[in-house]
Amino acid sequence: MIGLKRGTVKLCEHEKEWEIEAQNTICRLKTILGNVIRDIQHVGSTSIPSIKAKPIIDIAVAVDHFDDILAFEKKLKDAGF
């Protein structure tokens, strides 16, 4: 399970699907953002296999300058981000 209805809080047992989805999302972001990315990581509770977590995938993207990312706003929205 990934995602929750707005306003809902639920903790779930860890699922391998979360890591797979995180890696797929990271690949999609790398394709869109390319060399603008300095680092990209799956973070938050879904990245820790030994704990329960809200089934929401958090990805942290590091860039040198925030303005560099703004140039990709339309591409990111078009891709569902």
Side-chain angles (χ1 to χ4, degrees), residues 19-76:
E19 184 58 35
I20 294 166
E21 184 62 29
Q23 290 306 313
N24 289 339
T25 300
I26 287 170
C27 286
R28 289 176 54 215
L29 287 167
K30 284 180 177 180
T31 298
I32 295 168
L33 301 173
N35 293 334
V36 170
I37 296 173
R38 293 293 163 237
D39 192 19
I40 186 167
Q41 299 290 325
H42 177 199
V43 298
S45 58
T46 59
S47 69
I48 306 169
S50 61
I51 66 171
K52 290 184 177 184
K54 292 181 292 183
I56 298 169
I57 308 298
D58 296 309
I59 306 292
V61 180
V63 297
D64 287 330
H65 304 284
F66 185 74
D67 289 342
D68 294 343
I69 269 247
L70 294 178
F72 293 91
E73 185 175 8
K74 181 172 179 0
K75 283 185 179 182
L76 289 166

Side-chain angles (χ1 to χ4, degrees), residues 2-21:
I2 297 176
L4 292 171
K5 185 177 179 181
R6 187 173 296 277
T8 302
V9 175
K10 180 180 178 182
L11 295 178
C12 302
E13 295 294 331
H14 190 271
E15 294 186 23
K16 181 66 179 163
E17 175 189 10
W18 297 341
E19 184 58 35
I20 294 166
E21 184 62 29

